[in-house]
Amino acid sequence: MIISEATQSRNLMSKELNTDFAIIGGGLAGVCTAITAARKGVNVVLIQDRPVLGGNSSSEVRLWILGATSHMGNNNRWSREGGVIDEILVENTYKNKEGNALIFDTILLDKVLAEPNITLLLNTVVHEVHKADSEKISSVKAFCSQNSTEYHVNAPLFCDASGDGIVGFLAGAAFRMGAESSDEFGEKFAPTKEYGELLGHSLYFYTKDTGKPVKFTPPNFAIQDITTEIPRFRNFNTKEYGCKLWWLEYGGRLDTVHDTEEIKMELWKVVYGAWNYIKNSGNFPEAETMTLEWVGTIPGKRESRRFEGDYMLRQQDIVEQLTHDDAVAFGGWSIDLHPADGVFSEKPGCNQWHSKGIYQIPYRCLYSKNIKNLFITGRLISATHVAFASTRVMATAAHVGQAVGMAAFIAKNKNLNPAEIIHKNLIGDLQNELLKSGQHIPGYVLNDQKDLVQTAELSVSSEYVLEELSSELLKSLEISTAQMLPVNKGKVPHVIFHAEAEEATQIEIELRISGKSGNYTPDITLEKQILEIHAGRNSLHLDLSAQLEETTYAFVVFNKNPKVKIHLSEQRVTGILSVFNSVNKAVSNYGKQTPTEDIGVDEFEFWCPQRRPEGHNVAFKLNPPLAKFGKENIKSGVYRPVAEPNAWVAAKEDKTPTVKIEWDQPQEIQTIELFFDTDYDHPMESVLMGHPEDVMPFCVRNYAIKDDLGNVIFEKRDNYQTINTIKLEKSLATKYISITLEHPSANVPAALFAVRCF
C-alpha cells in the first residue's frame, strides 16, 4: 500500500539512459536503422511514440511497403531493396503471405527484440532537446504515457527518423516545408501554387462480407452528400479497400504537422460519408452484406518537413540517374506528386512520372548540415519537394535507414560526427560495410579483402548453360512479349522458337537493348525482322546480325498479334525473365510514358514482368548457348542480376550440385555467409495484397556444408531467406569446404549468388 501526503507538486518518475546512438522514430526507417547499427555492436535506444513499430506500415495505418519495384509496374528489374528491409519482407512473405497487418506488427517487434543492443521505448514521445553547443545535441527528453515515466537519453550520435522531424526541429536543424520553385534547382516538374506544395494525409478502412444483411447508420459528423463534395469518388469499387483507397487524401493546403488532428477529423468525415453512400445509396447492391471491419485512427502522413544536408537530391538525380561518389542507397519509385486539395480536387489523385531505372542516393543527404551529430532518415532526408515525391516511400526510406545505421557504426568506432565520414575519406569503408550486409548500391561492387573466398580456388559439380527452355504452354500473343537474355559483347545467338496460328499471318520481332548499362528500359532498337507464319505449328529461326558493344541484357521482342500463339516454358532460371508491354494503372503505367509538356521526364515504353503463376519464359533454343552462370560469379561482389545474372547456377540434371572452395594452406574460418535468390523482382507488398507463394521459387531450401575431412559442419533444411549467416561455435581450420545444394524444384535449378568466409 502506498500513502502519499498532500504536497505542492511532484516530479515524474525519471530514468536516465546512456547509449551510443539514439534513434527517434520507430517507423520502418528507424527500425532498419536500429537493427543495422545494433548488429554491428552499437548500443541503440529506439524511441517510438506509438504502441507498435512500423509507422505507416503498421496495423495503425496499414499501408503496404513499396519502393523501387513499384508493384512490378515499372522497368526496374531485380530492384527490391536489400539488407534488413529485404530480410523483413522475405520473413513477412513466408509467415504472412496473406498480408495481415497485425501479424506484420509482430514480425517487426520480433526483429527488434532479437537484438540485445537495442533498448526499445514504445509509447514514448520526445518533447525536449538539450544541446552541448549550438551545433551539437547532448540529450533528448521523452515521456512515456503508459508508465508515466520521463526518460533522459544521452548519446554522442542521434538519428531523427520521426517523420515530422521533431528532434531536428527542436535542435534548430535547417529544414524546408513546401515546394521549391522551378528556378531554384532547375526542376521542370516543380508544382504550381494552384496544384499545391504539400502532399496530404490518407486514412484507410477495411470491409468484410458477413454473409447476411448489415445496416449502417452514419455518425452525424459524416459527409452527407459524398458525390457532390468529392468529385473523384464516382470511381469507387466495393472490392477496393485499405491502402487501395490511398486517394482518400486531405491536408495539403494545411500545416501537415500542427494541423494533423484537424486533417484526421476531416478524413473521418470522408470515410464514414463514403461508407454511408456505399451502403445506403442503392448503387452498390453487392455491399448489402458488407460491414466496416476497421477504420484507421492514425492518418498516414506523406509529407511535412524535409531537412537540409550537404546535398539536396533533385529531379535531375532521379530522371538522369546521376552518379555520386558517396552513393549508399537507391530509389526507384516514380516522382509521385498529389494535388494539395486531395480528395476534394477535380484533378487526378496522383501525377506519377517514372525514370528509366533506379537512381543513387548520396550519403550527403542523410545528415543535418548544421547540427553536427544528427543523422536524418526516412522521409526527412535532404531532397527537394520533387525528389522527395520519389524517395518518400517506405522501402526506400528503410534502405536509406540501413545506410545511416551502418554510418553510425563507423562514426561510433572512429569517434566521428556524420559528415566526417566523408571528410576523412571513409565513404569507401561505409559502402563496403553496406555491400557486405546485402545492401545493393547501383554501380558498386564489394571489395572485401577479409573474405577468404576471394583467394580460394573454386570448383563446381556443374554449370548451367542456357541452351533451351522446354515448351509446356501455349499462349496467345495478345500483348507484346519480350524475352530477356544475358548476352555477351558481340553477336546475339541464333534463336529458334515455336508459334502456332489458325491462318497464315506474320510476326514482327525486334532486338532491343537499354541505352544505359544496368537499366532495363529497352529504348534502343538494333534490328527488326518480320517472319512469315503458316497455319498450324511453326518452327521459326531468328538469325540476328546486330553486334552488341557490351555485355548486357538483350530483349527479343515479339510484337503483339492475337492471331499467333507462342510456346512458353514452365522452367524458371535465376537471371532469366520475360517482360510484357502491359498496363498497370496502379502506378500510372499505361504501356508508354508520354509527357504532354516539357516537365523534365522521358518518354519510353513500359516492359514489365507478370506475377506468378503467370510470367512464363518463352520456350526457345539458342545457338550458341549462353554460358553466363559459372562459378566465377560467386566472387563477383554483386549479389543480384544487373548486366548479367551474377550467380552460379547448377545444371538441371546435376543430382548433387556442389561448390568446392579450396586454399593452398588451411584457413581459420569462424563465419560462412551464403547469398541465395529470393527473387529481387518480386515487390513483396507487406499487407493486403497477398502473394502466390510463401517461398520464392528460386530459393535453395536445403543445403549442407562439409570440411576437408568430410565432416558436416552445418546443415540447413527449409531455408527461405536471402542471406544465411553461419557462425561456427569454434573456428574451423580446413583446406577446403564444400557446399552441396538441392534444386528448389524440377523446373528451377539451384543458384547461389555468393559465398563469403571469414
Side-chain angles (χ1 to χ4, degrees):
M1 179 177 181
I2 297 174
I3 299 175
S4 179
E5 298 294 333
T7 183
Q8 185 173 349
S9 64
R10 295 186 178 92
N11 294 321
L12 290 168
M13 177 179 283
S14 180
K15 290 186 178 180
E16 186 166 1
L17 300 176
N18 298 302
T19 190
D20 298 325
F21 188 31
I23 302 168
I24 293 79
L28 209 60
V31 164
C32 289
T33 303
I35 292 172
T36 301
R39 288 179 177 176
K40 297 297 290 185
V42 179
N43 289 316
V44 173
V45 171
L46 176 60
I47 305 172
Q48 164 70 329
D49 61 357
R50 305 298 310 156
V52 292
L53 296 165
N56 282 350
S57 69
S58 75
S59 62
E60 291 187 310
V61 179
R62 306 193 182 193
L63 176 62
W64 46 43
I65 298 166
L66 277 175
T69 50
S70 190
H71 285 309
M72 295 169 70
N74 60 16
N75 291 344
N76 299 342
R77 302 284 61 78
W78 299 295
S79 65
R80 192 177 72 244
E81 295 73 13
V84 176
I85 182 55
D86 171 68
E87 178 186 327
I88 288 169
L89 291 174
V90 171
E91 192 81 18
N92 184 63
T93 303
Y94 179 70
K95 295 179 177 177
N96 182 32
K97 73 173 186 176
E98 297 79 16
N100 184 321
L102 295 172
I103 293 175
F104 184 68
D105 284 349
T106 68
I107 288 169
L108 286 185
L109 186 59
D110 258 348
K111 289 292 181 185
V112 169
L113 295 181
E115 300 301 329
N117 290 326
I118 298 177
T119 298
L120 175 63
L121 304 178
L122 294 174
N123 291 307
T124 303
V125 180
V126 169
H127 59 90
E128 255 183 56
V129 169
H130 299 157
K131 297 171 74 174
D133 56 46
S134 63
E135 297 182 329
K136 189 173 183 179
I137 301 170
S138 57
S139 66
V140 295
K141 186 185 288 187
F143 174 69
C144 177
S145 60
Q146 299 303 295
N147 62 11
S148 198
T149 299
E150 190 168 65
Y151 293 93
H152 298 257
V153 182
N154 306 295
L157 295 168
F158 291 82
C159 173
D160 196 331
S162 65
D164 284 340
I166 184 63
V167 174
F169 177 78
L170 292 174
F175 75 91
R176 296 180 176 215
M177 196 166 172
E180 289 77 15
S181 69
S182 179
D183 293 338
E184 184 172 1
F185 293 104
E187 297 175 306
K188 294 182 178 180
F189 193 42
T192 63
K193 290 190 180 297
E194 188 270 335
Y195 187 82
E197 297 187 0
L198 279 174
L199 282 70
H201 305 351
S202 282
L203 201 68
Y204 307 129
F205 65 89
Y206 277 26
T207 62
K208 72 175 181 180
D209 194 328
T210 66
K212 58 184 179 181
V214 177
K215 72 175 183 178
F216 176 70
T217 303
N220 292 331
F221 61 74
I223 289 177
Q224 298 302 307
D225 190 357
I226 203 83
T227 57
T228 58
E229 293 196 48
I230 301 180
R232 209 183 310 120
F233 186 78
R234 299 187 185 100
N235 295 323
F236 188 78
N237 180 336
T238 54
K239 295 180 181 179
E240 294 181 333
Y241 63 95
C243 42
K244 291 182 179 179
L245 300 178
W246 56 267
W247 50 269
L248 294 180
E249 177 180 354
Y250 176 71
R253 298 287 181 192
L254 302 177
D255 182 332
T256 53
V257 176
H258 299 106
D259 293 334
T260 287
E261 285 296 292
E262 178 184 337
I263 294 168
K264 178 186 71 177
M265 185 57 68
E266 193 65 31
L267 286 168
W268 271 341
K269 295 177 184 178
V270 170
V271 166
Y272 287 102
W275 188 242
N276 179 41
Y277 176 65
I278 294 165
K279 288 290 293 183
N280 298 322
S281 68
N283 295 328
F284 302 92
E286 67 272 26
E288 183 183 7
T289 57
M290 296 173 70
T291 188
L292 273 180
E293 182 180 28
W294 169 84
V295 176
T297 56
I298 304 294
K301 286 193 178 186
R302 288 184 176 84
E303 181 177 15
S304 55
R305 302 178 181 116
R306 294 170 284 109
F307 286 80
E308 294 187 30
D310 281 340
Y311 183 80
M312 288 192 71
L313 202 73
R314 58 206 71 183
Q315 177 182 347
Q316 296 90 322
D317 290 293
I318 295 169
V319 175
E320 299 171 25
Q321 299 173 269
L322 299 180
T323 58
H324 300 275
D325 291 340
D326 61 329
V328 289
F330 69 85
W333 186 257
S334 63
I335 298 175
D336 182 7
L337 293 178
H338 297 196
D341 295 313
V343 75
F344 297 105
S345 174
E346 295 278 359
K347 296 179 175 63
C350 66
N351 203 358
Q352 291 184 301
W353 296 99
H354 299 259
S355 62
K356 290 184 176 182
I358 59 177
Y359 58 88
Q360 295 178 347
I361 298 176
Y363 176 66
R364 287 164 293 157
C365 296
L366 312 186
Y367 55 83
S368 168
K369 72 177 186 180
N370 68 297
I371 303 299
K372 301 304 183 186
N373 62 337
L374 178 62
F375 289 102
I376 49 178
T377 192
R379 57 185 171 87
L380 300 176
I381 69 169
S382 183
T384 66
H385 173 73
V386 173
F388 157 89
S390 174
T391 63
R392 64 185 174 84
V393 292
M394 282 189 285
T396 304
H399 206 235
V400 166
Q402 293 163 189
V404 167
M406 199 65 78
F409 156 66
I410 292 175
K412 178 242 179 183
N413 281 1
K414 303 286 187 181
N415 194 27
L416 302 175
N417 287 325
E420 292 179 297
I421 290 176
I422 286 186
H423 300 156
K424 293 185 180 295
N425 297 316
L426 294 171
I427 196 68
D429 292 358
L430 173 57
Q431 290 164 333
N432 263 352
E433 289 291 342
L434 288 167
L435 293 168
K436 284 192 288 184
S437 73
Q439 177 132 336
H440 182 61
I441 307 172
Y444 285 80
V445 174
L446 175 61
N447 179 20
D448 183 8
Q449 297 180 356
K450 294 182 180 179
D451 178 12
L452 298 173
V453 175
Q454 296 300 314
T455 59
E457 184 71 27
L458 302 183
S459 58
V460 292
S461 56
S462 66
E463 291 182 1
Y464 181 85
V465 176
L466 183 60
E467 182 175 10
E468 179 180 5
L469 292 184
S470 58
S471 171
E472 292 87 21
L473 303 168
L474 191 63
K475 193 167 185 179
S476 175
L477 201 57
E478 297 285 345
I479 57 175
S480 295
T481 301
Q483 182 63 48
M484 294 174 61
L485 298 174
V487 181
N488 290 319
K489 179 180 178 180
K491 192 175 184 297
V492 176
H494 182 85
V495 183
I496 303 172
F497 66 99
H498 292 87
E500 298 186 17
E502 293 184 358
E503 61 184 71
T505 185
Q506 296 177 327
I507 184 170
E508 183 183 65
I509 299 177
E510 301 175 53
L511 177 66
R512 298 193 192 182
I513 60 171
S514 174
K516 181 180 175 63
S517 179
N519 276 6
Y520 309 101
T521 296
D523 50 356
I524 294 179
T525 301
L526 298 178
E527 190 172 345
K528 288 185 181 182
Q529 290 189 17
I530 295 178
L531 300 182
E532 299 295 330
I533 294 181
H534 59 72
R537 178 165 177 161
N538 298 252
S539 177
L540 299 170
H541 291 248
L542 185 63
D543 193 10
L544 298 161
S545 60
Q547 296 282 325
L548 300 182
E549 296 182 358
E550 62 180 349
T551 296
T552 189
Y553 273 93
F555 294 71
V556 179
V557 176
F558 304 86
N559 283 313
K560 68 178 181 180
N561 182 345
K563 297 179 181 179
V564 175
K565 293 181 179 179
I566 59 172
H567 286 244
L568 304 177
S569 179
E570 292 276 14
Q571 292 179 259
R572 300 184 189 268
V573 183
T574 291
I576 304 299
L577 194 64
S578 60
V579 290
F580 303 82
N581 185 214
S582 53
V583 171
N584 188 333
K585 294 180 181 179
V587 291
S588 298
N589 168 353
Y590 298 94
K592 185 175 182 178
Q593 177 166 289
T594 308
T596 56
E597 55 185 312
D598 185 10
I599 54 172
V601 299
D602 295 317
E603 179 176 313
F604 59 89
E605 291 178 346
F606 291 100
W607 289 84
C608 308
Q610 295 175 340
R611 289 179 188 259
R612 289 182 294 274
E614 300 300 321
H616 297 94
N617 290 304
V618 175
F620 59 80
K621 291 184 179 180
L622 299 179
N623 185 20
L626 290 173
K628 303 291 293 184
F629 305 90
K631 61 186 179 181
E632 66 279 359
N633 290 331
I634 289 174
K635 294 185 179 185
S636 72
V638 181
Y639 304 156
R640 65 179 64 205
V642 182
E644 48 192 328
N646 291 316
W648 167 59
V649 181
K652 273 201 322 174
E653 59 274 12
D654 186 351
K655 300 299 184 183
T656 54
T658 302
V659 55
K660 184 177 179 182
I661 303 167
E662 188 169 11
W663 297 272
D664 292 336
Q665 300 294 327
Q667 303 293 315
E668 291 286 332
I669 298 174
Q670 185 71 61
T671 302
I672 302 169
E673 288 185 340
L674 307 177
F675 291 73
F676 294 113
D677 184 2
T678 54
D679 188 9
Y680 282 113
D681 217 54
H682 186 32
M684 293 187 173
E685 295 91 342
S686 52
V687 297
L688 191 64
M689 283 193 66
H691 300 286
E693 64 257 316
D694 54 9
V695 179
M696 296 301 101
F698 306 97
C699 183
V700 169
R701 305 298 311 280
N702 306 317
Y703 64 89
I705 305 175
K706 295 181 180 180
D707 64 12
D708 54 5
L709 298 176
N711 299 314
V712 176
I713 58 174
F714 184 81
E715 189 169 11
K716 179 71 175 181
R717 308 295 296 178
D718 299 324
N719 170 57
Y720 55 87
Q721 268 292 354
T722 309
I723 303 175
N724 283 208
T725 301
I726 301 123
K727 294 185 180 296
L728 303 176
E729 290 184 7
K730 58 181 181 179
S731 63
L732 172 70
T734 184
K735 285 193 69 175
Y736 72 79
I737 62 169
S738 64
I739 305 169
T740 300
L741 314 175
E742 288 184 18
H743 295 299
S745 70
N747 286 322
V748 182
L752 185 61
F753 283 122
V755 183
R756 298 180 63 244
C757 296
F758 47 94

